Amino acid sequence: MASVSLQDFVCALDPASLPRVLRICSGVYFQGSVYEISGNECSLSTGDLIKVTQVRLQKVVCENPGTGQTIELDPNFQGHFSPLTGPQSYGTLEELVSSVMRSSKQLPIWFMSTHRIDTKARVVPQEQPLMLEAVERHPKNCYARCVLGTGTQPVVLHLPLFQKGPFWELETGAPRTMLQALQDPALRDLLLTCPTLPWRTLTLKPQYEIQAIMHLRRTMVRIPSTLEVDVEDVTASSQHVSFIQPLLLSEALARGGPFPLTIEILEVPEGPPIFLSPWMGSLRKGQRLCIYGLAFPSWRVIASTKGRKVPRYFMVSGAYQGKLRRRPREFSTVYDILSALQPGQPLRVVATKDCEGDEVELPGFASLAVGDRLEVMGPGQAHGAQGGDIDILVCHRLSDQAEEEEEECEEEAEGREQIVLPLYLSGGFVEDMNDGRRYSLADLTAQFSLPCEVKVVAKDASQPADPLPSFSGLRLEEKIMEPFLVVSLDSEPEKYFEIPPRWLDLTVVEAGEQPRQPAGSPPTVTVEELTDAFYYRIRKLPASESQSPPPRPPKREGLGGQKKRSSQERNIKVPV
């Protein structure tokens, strides 16, 4: 078919014939944006193919052909429109009747007057449609028998043929709603009239939004019908054309399958790699992958190595089957000790640095020596020398007697001294513990809070290259919930890895071939080494940001102010 403007094509389109494939015959480029403005496509290239799937009426512009004035009508406009057969008007009813008789039209016909008609029966408003049923001859004059209104009680009027107009013949049939008028091909080029609008004659110019599929465009595009392009309907000759719709891994995850699913990579996100794994180098354009579904479980633990000049970072799956043994935790501030304290779990620490207390600054703030053992009781508040309350940690200093005879409560109680440590205090502490049990990762994270320091004492048997046992210690930083997809290379189906779409959202396209069905469940990849950049990116997630920072030390007063405060009564408040 010949090319037509996009507006003309849409106006003549039968929605029942969708979808239709169009070829752009003369493209359009909008300098302000290569792709879209306000969500609408504004640039199309000559030769592009688009597959129109839906057309939606946005608004209708009503125009006065005489003055060029316009009014925008909502698609739900309730007025009724009557079509005019052409631009010719008739000065009297007799001229109108004679024209009808010459054209061999059959009565009844519809017409209207652009002026008010006064009769004995009633007044006919201007532009009110009338139905001419017959011409009756009376002794002196001929009359047109007309019917006013289309309701249950129409009014019959007898108008003399010499009645002056001007009169306009209306298309045969009752007045139509706006949508009916737009959908009738016979009315497309006719002038219309509507009693509820201020003009005698008008035209309707609909504006549609076209929803279409374009080659290699991931989402449905929206094109305004007023875009100045010419199109050609090539549906009949384009049955073999396949419109490739890209897909994000996150979208494949959201729709939940069906899996397995064979895909081809179209684009890899820019930026540094997230994993230090060989398979990361295989993720390039044109590589085919097979997605087997969600990895289980969906939680991971972020871990860092201890005792190395340059730490390494890992993401450990909840399915990790290695065995871990707890190591004493190290604390650089009193605030860190408080953060590690959990209800119902006793916590004892040993000082690894000397710390000089200040009884004047804070009552009960005693000095600590290397090797002092403390039992942590809980947080509290004390009235400091500067005035106001200071957040503290209440501890019991354990004597050597308490260490030797802990099972004897009375002797242990006698060897305890209550001291307080301000939360802002920096120092060195190590956890005093004796736990030789071997834990699975799931049991460890369920019983103890993170961060937690461990040593992997037995590797994961399902991972021959498990790197974690080779380190003297690991710090389990935090637990995150994140869905991963189990994937393999199409060229190496026996090698599996897991991709987090949130951080590695590949742009892919579904491949047409049938995916290979795995024999049983795909193995779980339990350990992935992280790049430094990705590790710090994860540590900025809301789960990490929700941790409040440690308190700052109070500002110190001069010596005179300290002596004045030292004479005041000081209290320590420990919550029960």
Side-chain angles (χ1 to χ4, degrees):
M1 62 172 290
S3 63
V4 296
S5 70
L6 182 61
Q7 176 71 18
D8 289 345
F9 173 81
V10 176
C11 290
L13 178 66
D14 180 6
S17 67
L18 293 176
R20 309 295 296 179
V21 179
L22 305 181
R23 183 172 64 87
I24 306 300
C25 296
S26 60
V28 60
Y29 174 73
F30 185 80
Q31 190 173 3
S33 170
V34 176
Y35 296 107
E36 58 182 38
I37 293 179
S38 300
N40 288 328
E41 198 75 13
C42 60
S43 298
L44 296 172
S45 300
T46 300
D48 280 351
L49 292 179
I50 62 174
K51 186 175 184 179
V52 179
T53 59
Q54 187 176 353
V55 174
R56 184 173 66 87
L57 179 64
Q58 284 190 311
K59 63 181 178 181
V60 177
V61 177
C62 177
E63 181 178 352
N64 184 334
T67 63
Q69 293 176 295
T70 59
I71 299 175
E72 288 190 4
L73 303 179
D74 187 86
N76 297 322
F77 178 71
Q78 298 299 314
H80 286 73
F81 295 83
S82 299
L84 303 173
T85 57
Q88 181 181 359
S89 63
Y90 303 93
T92 64
L93 263 181
E94 186 174 9
E95 293 178 8
L96 172 61
V97 170
S98 298
S99 174
V100 171
M101 297 304 180
R102 287 196 301 270
S103 64
S104 301
K105 292 182 181 179
Q106 300 294 321
L107 297 180
I109 65 166
W110 287 85
F111 73 100
M112 70 168 190
S113 172
T114 57
H115 295 288
R116 187 181 69 179
I117 301 175
D118 296 319
T119 68
K120 293 181 179 180
R122 63 178 303 162
V123 174
V124 180
Q126 63 180 16
E127 300 183 354
Q128 175 67 49
L130 293 167
M131 183 175 66
L132 174 58
E133 286 189 327
V135 175
E136 299 179 352
R137 297 185 179 275
H138 289 209
K140 294 184 178 180
N141 292 307
C142 292
Y143 292 86
R145 188 173 74 237
C146 304
V147 178
L148 173 63
T150 57
T152 57
Q153 294 182 343
V155 178
V156 177
L157 302 175
H158 290 82
L159 302 179
L161 294 187
F162 59 80
Q163 179 74 47
K164 294 183 178 181
F167 297 101
W168 292 79
E169 182 183 356
L170 305 181
E171 184 71 16
T172 301
R176 297 160 172 81
T177 65
M178 184 175 69
L179 293 180
Q180 290 172 336
L182 294 175
Q183 293 170 358
D184 191 342
L187 306 184
R188 190 162 298 127
D189 298 324
L190 297 183
L191 294 175
L192 304 173
T193 185
C194 178
T196 58
L197 294 176
W199 306 316
R200 180 175 62 84
T201 57
L202 53 91
T203 58
L204 296 180
K205 297 182 178 180
Q207 294 186 11
Y208 298 91
E209 178 187 80
I210 302 167
Q211 294 187 9
I213 299 172
M214 293 186 67
H215 188 61
L216 291 179
R217 290 293 294 272
R218 185 173 56 83
T219 58
M220 189 80 67
V221 297
R222 296 180 297 164
I223 306 172
S225 63
T226 53
L227 195 65
E228 295 181 357
V229 294
D230 290 340
V231 298
E232 180 184 3
D233 190 337
V234 293
T235 304
S237 60
S238 303
Q239 299 299 320
H240 64 286
V241 176
S242 176
F243 286 83
I244 298 177
Q245 280 192 276
L247 181 72
L248 292 176
L249 280 188
S250 57
E251 294 173 338
L253 174 66
R255 74 184 191 184
F259 298 119
L261 176 66
T262 303
I263 59 173
E264 181 178 325
I265 298 176
L266 296 179
E267 185 179 359
V268 179
E270 296 181 356
I274 62 174
F275 297 134
L276 295 175
S277 300
W279 58 264
M280 285 289 297
S282 302
L283 301 183
R284 57 185 178 271
K285 184 177 180 180
Q287 176 67 56
R288 289 200 168 192
L289 307 174
C290 187
I291 303 176
Y292 295 97
L294 275 173
F296 183 82
S298 60
W299 59 274
R300 303 287 190 279
V301 172
I302 307 302
S304 59
T305 60
K306 300 287 292 184
R308 298 175 61 92
K309 291 183 178 180
V310 180
R312 295 168 64 181
Y313 308 106
F314 295 90
M315 183 177 287
V316 186
S317 167
Y320 183 73
Q321 296 301 311
K323 295 300 181 180
L324 305 91
R325 182 173 290 151
R326 292 176 64 210
R327 295 179 72 249
R329 290 172 287 183
E330 297 178 359
F331 309 104
S332 58
T333 68
V334 175
Y335 179 80
D336 294 336
I337 300 176
L338 176 62
S339 299
L341 184 62
Q342 294 295 315
Q345 296 181 8
L347 177 61
R348 292 181 177 182
V349 297
V350 179
T352 58
K353 293 182 180 180
D354 292 335
C355 177
E356 186 173 350
D358 189 348
E359 288 278 359
V360 176
E361 174 73 25
L362 179 65
F365 182 13
S367 298
L368 296 177
V370 174
D372 280 354
R373 298 173 62 246
L374 304 176
E375 182 175 7
V376 181
M377 304 305 296
Q381 285 188 328
H383 191 75
Q386 308 299 323
D389 292 334
I390 296 177
D391 292 327
I392 61 171
L393 185 66
V394 180
C395 302
H396 285 162
R397 194 199 310 258
L398 304 178
S399 65
D400 293 339
Q401 178 183 359
E403 181 178 4
E404 297 172 357
E405 303 177 4
E406 290 181 354
E407 67 279 357
E408 299 182 13
C409 297
E410 294 183 0
E411 295 182 12
E412 183 180 6
E414 292 177 359
R416 292 184 179 184
E417 170 195 356
Q418 178 171 295
I419 64 172
V420 299
L421 302 175
L423 295 189
Y424 60 78
L425 176 66
S426 298
F429 305 90
V430 63
E431 186 177 9
D432 185 7
M433 58 164 287
N434 184 20
D435 186 357
R437 287 177 293 176
R438 293 151 57 104
Y439 297 90
S440 68
L441 182 63
D443 290 341
L444 186 71
T445 55
Q447 296 180 36
F448 302 98
S449 62
L450 300 184
C452 177
E453 296 187 15
V454 299
K455 172 73 174 76
V456 178
V457 294
K459 72 175 186 178
D460 187 341
S462 66
Q463 305 293 322
D466 183 2
L468 301 185
S470 63
F471 302 111
S472 60
L474 288 176
R475 178 179 171 87
L476 306 183
E477 304 281 2
E478 66 173 313
K479 183 177 180 180
I480 63 172
M481 300 293 296
E482 190 66 35
F484 280 63
L485 290 173
V486 180
V487 180
S488 73
L489 299 177
D490 185 65
S491 56
E492 300 178 82
E494 71 282 353
K495 293 184 178 180
Y496 296 91
F497 49 93
E498 297 176 0
I499 295 180
R502 179 181 181 184
W503 298 305
L504 191 55
D505 208 2
L506 305 174
T507 302
V508 301
V509 63
E510 294 186 37
E513 65 184 44
Q514 185 70 19
R516 180 183 60 87
Q517 295 291 336
S521 300
T524 302
V525 181
T526 56
V527 181
E528 290 285 3
E529 185 169 1
L530 311 180
T531 62
D532 291 2
F534 184 52
Y535 167 78
Y536 289 110
R537 178 182 170 188
I538 290 181
R539 296 294 287 155
K540 291 181 180 180
L541 293 177
S544 303
E545 294 175 351
S546 61
Q547 301 174 4
S548 56
R552 295 181 177 180
K555 295 181 179 179
R556 298 184 178 273
E557 293 184 355
L559 182 60
Q562 292 185 9
K563 291 181 178 180
K564 182 178 179 180
R565 295 288 184 184
S566 64
S567 62
Q568 298 178 356
E569 180 183 0
R570 304 178 181 93
N571 297 315
I572 298 176
K573 295 179 287 184
V574 181
V576 179

